[in-house]
């Protein structure tokens, strides 16, 4: 029949079990991004995506906390997207000019 709402893990992310597991992952990772250490808004990322490994959807060892910026970068890399060189150069310049702007 196909995916409901176009997202492979839709039913996973709507469950109470997922909400509890998200909190457990955040606690385990010290409420910070495992990539850059940011303590901003965190998202919980599946190392092996639900669409590829649905049996690992609720496995704590398959999860890690990432800030929104790192999560986007990770997801784009997993999907094969390369950042444009001009954008990388622009972000590098911003980080030099505005030190507190580590992950714009």
């Amino acid at each position: 029949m196909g995916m409901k709402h176009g997202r492979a893990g839709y039913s996973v992310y709507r469950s109470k079990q997922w909400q509890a597991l998200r909190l457990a992952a955040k606690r385990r990772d010290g409420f910070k991004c495992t990539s850059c250490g940011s303590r901003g808004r965190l998202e919980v990322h599946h190392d092996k995506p639900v669409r590829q490994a649905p049996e690992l959807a609720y496995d704590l060892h398959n999860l890690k906390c990432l800030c929104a910026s790192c999560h986007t970068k990770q997801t784009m890399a997993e999907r094969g997207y390369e950042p444009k060189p001009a954008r990388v150069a622009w972000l590098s310049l911003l980080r030099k000019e505005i030190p507190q702007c580590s992950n714009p």
Side-chain angles (χ1 to χ4, degrees):
M1 178 134 194
M3 291 183 292
K4 185 177 181 180
H5 300 286
R7 190 171 179 187
Y10 182 79
S11 61
V12 171
Y13 301 122
R14 301 283 297 172
S15 72
K16 291 183 187 255
Q17 184 179 358
W18 171 250
Q19 298 304 318
L21 192 60
R22 266 180 85 236
L23 182 58
K26 288 179 179 183
R27 284 182 178 151
R28 179 201 61 203
D29 294 341
F31 291 92
K32 62 183 177 182
C33 177
T34 57
S35 182
C36 72
S38 170
R39 292 190 175 272
R41 183 175 67 91
L42 294 176
E43 299 175 1
V44 178
H45 176 77
H46 284 92
D47 283 326
K48 293 186 181 178
V50 175
R51 69 183 167 279
Q52 293 175 353
E55 69 280 4
L56 297 177
Y58 297 108
D59 184 350
L60 186 59
H61 300 301
N62 187 40
L63 303 175
K64 64 182 170 185
C65 293
L66 297 172
C67 66
S69 179
C70 290
H71 192 213
T72 298
K73 289 175 194 171
Q74 177 88 29
T75 301
M76 296 300 268
E78 287 172 358
R79 294 181 180 176
Y81 294 107
E82 297 280 331
K84 295 178 181 175
R87 179 165 171 76
V88 172
W90 173 252
L91 291 175
S92 177
L93 177 65
L94 280 179
R95 287 185 188 108
K96 287 179 189 173
E97 295 297 320
I98 310 170
Q100 71 273 16
C101 188
S102 62
N103 274 328

